[in-house]
Amino acid sequence: MNYIVNFVEYKQQAFPLHKHEHYEVLVYIDGEGAIKIEEQTFSIKKGTIVVVPPKMVHGSTSKSNLKSIYVAWKENAPFTFNKPLIFEDNQGEEGQFLVKAIYNNLYKNTEYLTALCNALAQLVLQNVKNQTKLEKAVYQIINKITLNFQDCDFNLNQVLNSVNYTEDYIRERFRLQTGKTPVNFLTDVRIDFAQQLIEIYNKQMSLNEVALQSGFYDYAYFSRRFFQKTGFSPREYKKNILKKIEKDK
């Protein structure tokens, strides 16, 4: 048989990390918890569908009554992508219906089992197409942030609403794709730029000017976020840069 199918009830509180030589589709049919794939951790719940490509270290842990059914292709997998895919089941709970039917028919009619697995694969491939559209939307937001972050009046909410998804949904997809919320991404870009300005124009620009050039009207807010990211206040950071310059003379 070309398929590996199993029902799993997660009782461990630690990640049981492992990897496979094949594609694995995990459909969570109850509860909630988290899955770690390589270095990223994602929230999961009833209806979450995760596709893990071959040789990726991963493992799930339960927060409350987490259960899943997974289907793996031993060979001739219908997928070619090499990044994890995470999406939510549709309103008709088609993914959950399919994996339950696959599990219940595992040792019965082979043709019917193959048809069910093919249907599950088509559900996944349809969401690969949707993910590609989502990726483009996220990159569009990233591009607008990187081009306009110096504008103190830059309206992030307006940018998020300019793509054809609800704001809450695109915020979550942005976080899954980049590992940061849109606000944190924007702040990090601004603080990285402020660091560069201090390093290059340490004697020519005041810290207030650095804040404004980096997109911050409010110096106190700028200083607080700078400290959160670097562990130094802007004044301390500038002082350390000047010391290094004197030392290197």
Side-chain angles (χ1 to χ4, degrees):
M1 188 170 60
N2 188 34
Y3 312 104
I4 302 170
V5 181
N6 203 1
F7 167 82
V8 182
E9 185 171 2
Y10 300 88
K11 295 181 179 178
Q12 299 98 329
Q13 292 305 308
F15 289 114
L17 296 173
H18 59 285
K19 60 183 178 180
H20 307 289
E21 296 297 315
H22 42 253
Y23 284 90
E24 184 179 50
V25 178
L26 301 101
V27 181
Y28 294 89
I29 58 174
D30 198 12
E32 58 181 313
I35 184 168
K36 184 175 183 179
I37 305 175
E38 297 292 341
E39 298 303 318
Q40 284 191 290
T41 302
F42 307 97
S43 296
I44 50 178
K45 63 182 186 298
K46 181 181 184 295
T48 302
I49 299 174
V50 180
V51 187
V52 183
K55 299 180 181 179
M56 280 201 164
V57 176
H58 63 284
S60 299
T61 189
S62 177
K63 184 178 179 183
S64 67
N65 201 37
L66 187 64
K67 298 174 184 175
S68 76
I69 294 173
Y70 72 79
V71 178
W73 278 255
K74 292 183 193 175
E75 55 187 23
N76 301 322
F79 316 122
T80 57
F81 52 87
N82 56 12
K83 294 190 295 185
L85 177 69
I86 301 174
F87 62 97
E88 297 304 318
D89 203 356
N90 54 36
Q91 287 186 337
E93 298 188 345
E94 184 181 355
Q96 294 166 80
F97 169 80
L98 285 170
V99 291
K100 288 175 183 176
I102 289 168
Y103 184 73
N104 291 331
N105 287 277
L106 186 56
Y107 301 108
K108 297 179 184 177
N109 186 299
T110 303
E111 289 184 4
Y112 183 49
L113 176 64
T114 299
L116 289 170
C117 290
N118 286 341
L120 179 62
Q122 288 304 312
L123 178 67
V124 169
L125 290 169
Q126 180 58 48
N127 278 276
V128 171
K129 293 178 183 177
N130 293 340
Q131 289 288 85
T132 302
K133 291 178 183 177
L134 276 167
E135 285 180 358
K136 287 181 180 177
V138 169
Y139 284 128
Q140 183 180 332
I141 294 167
I142 289 172
N143 189 48
K144 287 186 178 179
I145 289 174
T146 53
L147 289 174
N148 298 284
F149 72 89
Q150 287 183 269
D151 182 0
C152 295
D153 295 316
F154 177 65
N155 191 324
L156 183 57
N157 289 338
Q158 192 174 70
V159 172
L160 294 172
N161 287 316
S162 70
V163 295
N164 295 319
Y165 298 96
T166 64
E167 187 174 325
D168 286 345
Y169 183 66
I170 199 62
R171 281 181 186 277
E172 177 61 14
R173 297 313 307 181
F174 190 100
R175 185 189 67 78
L176 288 173
Q177 195 165 319
T178 67
K180 301 176 183 179
T181 66
V183 170
N184 286 339
F185 185 91
L186 171 60
T187 302
D188 282 353
V189 170
R190 285 173 162 169
I191 297 302
D192 287 343
F193 185 69
Q195 287 179 261
Q196 293 177 39
L197 290 181
I198 294 172
E199 290 166 11
I200 297 169
Y201 302 107
N202 44 78
K203 292 182 179 177
Q204 290 90 348
M205 291 181 70
S206 70
L207 291 174
N208 277 310
E209 288 174 314
V210 168
L212 283 171
Q213 286 291 321
S214 303
F216 294 93
Y217 273 135
D218 186 339
Y219 182 82
Y221 178 70
F222 162 68
S223 182
R224 187 163 65 251
R225 296 310 297 261
F226 193 99
F227 180 81
Q228 286 173 350
K229 189 170 191 302
T230 68
F232 298 96
S233 70
R235 194 172 302 281
E236 289 170 333
Y237 193 83
K238 182 175 182 178
K239 191 175 178 181
N240 290 338
I241 293 294
L242 290 171
K243 278 183 181 178
K244 187 176 184 302
I245 291 170
E246 288 299 318
K247 185 179 178 181
D248 292 342
K249 279 184 179 179

